[in-house]
Amino acid sequence: MVGIMTPKGLLSLLLAAPASAEILFATSYNDHALYTLSLNASSLAVVAKSYDCGSEPTWLTLDYAKSVLYCLNEGWGGAASITSYKTTGGALSKLDVLPVLKSPVASTLFGPNKTGLAVAYYDTSSFITFSVADPSKLALQQQETYKLASPGPVPDRQDVPHIHDAILDPTGKYLVATDLGADLLRIYKISNCAKNVTELTPVKAVPGSGPRHGAFATAGKSTYFYNVNELSNTITGYSVSYDNKSGPAFTRLFDFSTHGPGGTVPAGTKAAELVVSPDQKFVILSSRGESSLTIPNFDAGNSTALPSDPLVSFAIDGATGALKLAQVAPAGGVNPRGFSLNKAGTLVASALQDDNRVVVIARDPATGLLGNIVAHAVVGVGAGNGPNYALFNE
C-alpha cells in the first residue's frame, strides 16, 4: 500500500502502471478517507488516500468528461460537506469544499453540460440543488425541505421524510427523489437553464415500503423505473410515460421480494443499492443483513468460508418491464451498502462496509450472471463502518 501522496506523485505512479490497469474510487467512514485503487488483472491495490471529503465520506458522483469527482460527506462526526476534485489519470486534486446540511446521501448531475448537482438529504429531509458550472466554486441553488403530518406505517423509521436518492430520468428533463420516510417518489421538472426545478405531483409508493434507491431503464420506446425498498425489502417496478404538459406518469407494475416473487429474507435484512446494467437489460440490487451465502477465505492458508450477503440480479423484459430472477450471488462479504458496474458491464465493484473490503467480481454481460471475485483490497481501518461506495473511474 502506498501512503498519502501528492497528486503529482500519484499521477506519476498511475502513468507507470500497466496499460490494462483500471482506477476505482472508494469511500470509507471509519478512517474518514476517499481511496484511490488500481485494478490490474487479479490485483486491487490502494495507491492513495484523500482526507478532504470530511468525517463520513459516502456517495461519489463522477463527471468523467470533465475529469471531476464529487464526494458527499454525511457529517455525523463533523460538519457535512460536498468536496469537488479534479481527477487527472486517477490522481485527485481538491477544487472546493462546500459546507452543507447534515446527511447528504446521494447525488446526480443534471442540466445542460451537467452544470447542476442534485443531492438527497436523509436526516434533514431535504432535496437540494447546487451549481457546479465551475467545480472550484460550488454554490447552493435551490432547497426543498419537507415535513410529515404524522408518522408512517413504520413509525421508528418514518417519523419524518427521509430523502435517499436523486436520479436523473432518461430524457434529462426530470429528477426523481426517493423518500423513504414519506413513501413517495418526488418528481421535479428541470428548467431549461438548470437553475431551478419545479416539483410535480409525487408518486405514492407502497405504504411502509421505504423507497431507498432507484434507476431508470429504457428498451426501444419504453421507459421503466425500478426502486428498491429498505423497509419492506421489496423491489417495485413502474412503466413511465411522458406528457409534455404534466410530466412523466408512473404506473406501478409490481412489488415483490428482493429475492423475487414469493421470496423471503431473514429478520434484520435491509435492502440497499439498486443499479441497471449499462446495456439496460438487467437490474441488480444489494441486500444487507442476510449473511445467507458464503465465499472462500481470502487467506489461502485458511479453509474457513466467510459469510456474505447477496447481490440479486433480475433480467428485464423489454416489452413489459417485468423482472425475472436471474441469480442470487455473493456480494463478497457483509453489508454491501454500495456497488457499481464498469461501462462494459463485465465487472462489479462491491463495497463491504462491515468487512473493510472492496471486491471486484467478474460478470457475464450476456447472461447477467456474476462469477468469481477477481480482486480485493482492504479499505478502511478499524472494525465496521468501512467502505460504503466504490466507483469505476470511467
Side-chain angles (χ1 to χ4, degrees):
M1 172 178 170
V2 178
I4 304 171
M5 302 184 67
T6 64
K8 183 178 180 180
L10 177 55
L11 179 58
S12 298
L13 177 67
L14 294 172
L15 291 176
S20 58
E22 292 190 63
I23 298 302
L24 293 87
F25 303 114
T27 54
S28 175
Y29 268 9
N30 56 13
D31 56 349
H32 321 297
L34 167 57
Y35 283 68
T36 301
L37 304 101
S38 177
L39 172 66
N40 182 31
S42 61
S43 172
L44 183 64
V46 175
V47 293
K49 295 183 184 181
S50 167
Y51 295 97
D52 296 314
C53 192
S55 58
E56 281 82 27
T58 179
W59 189 272
L60 298 171
T61 298
L62 176 66
D63 189 337
Y64 183 77
K66 297 179 186 175
S67 300
V68 177
L69 180 71
Y70 300 93
C71 181
L72 304 184
N73 163 32
E74 293 184 22
W76 301 111
S81 59
I82 301 173
T83 302
S84 56
Y85 295 88
K86 188 69 175 179
T87 67
T88 306
L92 297 176
S93 302
K94 182 184 69 175
L95 295 173
D96 194 17
V97 179
L98 180 69
V100 297
L101 290 181
K102 191 175 294 293
S103 72
V105 291
S107 60
T108 189
L109 292 161
F110 71 96
N113 202 28
K114 297 182 179 179
T115 53
L117 185 73
V119 182
Y121 287 76
Y122 180 84
D123 198 55
T124 43
S125 306
S126 298
F127 182 78
I128 304 178
T129 62
F130 298 87
S131 171
V132 294
D134 182 348
S136 65
K137 296 180 181 179
L138 306 179
L140 173 69
Q141 284 193 157
Q142 184 175 345
Q143 176 176 331
E144 303 294 338
T145 299
Y146 300 98
K147 295 182 179 181
L148 282 179
S150 60
V154 186
D156 61 327
R157 294 294 309 279
Q158 296 186 310
D159 52 334
V160 296
H162 291 302
I163 316 300
H164 215 306
D165 201 0
I167 307 129
L168 181 66
D169 90 317
T171 71
K173 297 178 179 180
Y174 301 94
L175 291 161
V176 177
T178 51
D179 189 336
L180 182 149
D183 286 325
L184 294 174
L185 304 181
R186 299 186 184 273
I187 315 297
Y188 305 87
K189 183 177 180 180
I190 303 167
S191 68
N192 291 335
C193 59
K195 289 189 178 296
N196 56 63
V197 298
T198 302
E199 187 171 9
L200 305 179
T201 302
V203 177
K204 294 182 179 179
V206 176
S209 61
R212 179 180 170 93
H213 281 288
F216 285 90
T218 57
K221 295 183 179 180
S222 298
T223 300
Y224 307 106
F225 182 78
Y226 303 97
N227 69 265
V228 66
N229 304 298
E230 180 177 342
L231 304 184
S232 61
N233 290 294
T234 59
I235 180 172
T236 307
Y238 300 86
S239 63
V240 184
S241 59
Y242 291 87
D243 182 311
N244 290 332
K245 294 181 179 180
S246 59
F250 288 67
T251 301
R252 190 185 303 158
L253 301 173
F254 60 80
D255 180 78
F256 52 64
S257 167
T258 52
H259 282 252
T264 59
V265 298
T269 296
K270 294 180 180 180
E273 179 64 284
L274 180 146
V275 302
V276 168
S277 60
D279 61 7
Q280 307 286 289
K281 294 182 178 180
F282 296 90
V283 169
I284 311 169
L285 61 86
S286 59
S287 183
R288 305 166 294 171
E290 295 192 32
S291 294
S292 53
L293 303 171
T294 59
I295 55 175
N297 202 295
F298 291 95
D299 180 354
N302 190 336
S303 60
T304 303
L306 300 175
S308 178
D309 288 323
L311 293 177
V312 186
S313 298
F314 296 88
I316 300 172
D317 184 329
T320 66
L323 296 184
K324 181 179 180 181
L325 181 65
Q327 184 189 35
V328 179
V334 179
N335 199 353
R337 176 167 170 180
F339 68 95
S340 65
L341 277 67
N342 65 348
K343 293 291 186 182
T346 57
L347 297 172
V348 177
S350 176
L352 290 312
Q353 189 167 352
D354 287 4
D355 285 343
N356 290 359
R357 183 188 309 131
V358 168
V359 303
V360 177
I361 306 169
R363 178 178 179 272
D364 182 344
T367 64
L369 300 182
L370 275 61
N372 295 328
I373 294 172
V374 298
H376 70 280
V378 175
V379 171
V381 178
N385 272 334
N388 52 66
Y389 200 71
L391 182 67
F392 288 91
N393 180 39
E394 56 177 42

